[in-house]
Amino acid sequence: MQRLYIANKNSSSWSMRAWLVLTAFNIDFEEVLVRFDATNPSFKEQLSHIHANAQVPVLDVGEFRIWDSLAICEYLAEQHPDLALWPRAKALRAQARSISGEMHSSFMALRELCPMNLQMQYSTAEGQALWEKHAALRADVARIEHIWAKRADAHAFLFGNFCIADAFYAPVVMRLKSYALPVSEQSQQYMQQIIKHPAVSAWIHSGLEETV
Ligand SMILES: N[C@@H](CCC(=O)N[C@@H](CS)C(=O)NCC(=O)O)C(=O)O
């Protein structure tokens, strides 16, 4: 069976994306969690035996290994054309790929200032202080909210049904929530949709149970 190497569910946002796609679409896989924290000083060394770049996620499909979250999702979409991991309509699929690529390569202020930490919750005042201090963070969140606002139905996922693009934005949802960043009512509705998705809530549950 294929194996997905991941790090701590509390904090590993790139692991979360690949894991969500496999789980949400009921694709068989075995999970191997390599702790990435002070309890495991040999994380890099352990991972280097799986792949030379020594990062997670890595999907080991037996014949070969894929070592990047977006490449893993593309591979899964190729392997399961019946499952609509990307939207079926060509134009929507192109948009879904574009915003997933944008997530993969952008939003550095949000990523640096608000690392994923499911077990942490800022107060509204703490979130506001962070927000006011960092213009780059406000710009990242404005762009993300603009992307989310494009969805056709305020109560749906980005392209109707849950797809790879939603998995890519799920850790963003968790960051906005943990750091209590002020977002619109519409964005909060999308965040609720994501948080209550069964795959996302299963990941959150395990992340909250982890000892830090
Ligand atoms: N571009 C990679 C990024 C992977 C990445 O940065 N993974 C983090 C964990 S979320 C990691 O392995 N960090 C450990 C390190 O870089 O030493 C992907 O999308 O898979």
Side-chain angles (χ1 to χ4, degrees):
M1 188 188 300
Q2 58 190 348
R3 265 190 198 163
L4 183 72
Y5 290 85
I6 60 172
N8 307 33
K9 290 186 175 168
N10 181 50
S11 58
S12 184
S13 58
W14 296 112
S15 301
M16 181 181 186
R17 294 174 170 100
W19 187 97
L20 285 181
V21 171
L22 285 156
T23 305
F25 289 92
N26 288 313
I27 301 170
D28 274 351
F29 74 107
E30 186 187 330
E31 160 189 324
V32 183
L33 197 151
V34 184
R35 285 197 69 133
F36 179 48
D37 54 31
T39 67
N40 183 15
S42 62
F43 173 87
K44 277 281 182 201
E45 203 269 326
Q46 280 176 266
L47 255 294
S48 68
H49 297 295
I50 310 304
H51 192 269
N53 90 331
Q55 287 191 328
V56 285
V58 175
L59 184 67
D60 181 351
V61 300
E63 223 180 312
F64 53 85
R65 289 169 181 170
I66 311 160
W67 64 94
D68 176 86
S69 55
L70 193 50
I72 291 170
C73 293
E74 286 289 6
Y75 169 81
L76 294 171
E78 245 178 46
Q79 292 300 111
H80 300 278
D82 49 316
L83 292 181
L85 269 61
W86 290 119
R88 294 233 186 260
K90 186 159 70 175
L92 296 184
R93 193 162 61 249
Q95 286 172 35
R97 283 193 159 116
S98 299
I99 64 168
S100 301
E102 188 171 346
M103 174 63 247
H104 204 234
S105 59
S106 317
F107 310 129
M108 294 318 294
L110 177 70
R111 282 155 64 176
E112 278 163 21
L113 293 166
C114 307
M116 193 168 91
N117 184 347
L118 302 180
Q119 297 181 5
M120 191 210 70
Q121 183 60 60
Y122 267 27
S123 66
T124 309
E126 286 170 320
Q128 193 63 35
L130 186 71
W131 181 254
E132 281 166 18
K133 196 168 168 200
H134 298 283
L137 176 63
R138 294 195 297 276
D140 279 358
V141 175
R143 173 64 193 145
I144 289 162
E145 291 203 82
H146 182 76
I147 290 171
W148 291 355
K150 296 268 177 209
R151 66 200 204 284
D153 176 348
H155 300 286
F157 292 108
L158 292 171
F159 297 93
N161 295 325
F162 186 90
C163 75
I164 292 171
D166 296 289
F168 264 69
Y169 281 85
V172 172
V173 166
M174 302 320 299
R175 290 168 199 243
L176 296 182
K177 179 180 175 299
S178 290
Y179 292 85
L181 299 181
V183 292
S184 69
E185 185 63 35
Q186 224 191 351
S187 294
Q188 285 176 38
Q189 282 168 359
Y190 175 64
M191 289 165 67
Q192 283 315 312
Q193 282 289 114
I194 287 289
I195 289 168
K196 71 181 191 211
H197 186 284
V200 179
S201 52
W203 175 280
I204 295 172
H205 180 77
S206 304
L208 294 178
E209 301 262 287
E210 273 173 4
T211 48
V212 183

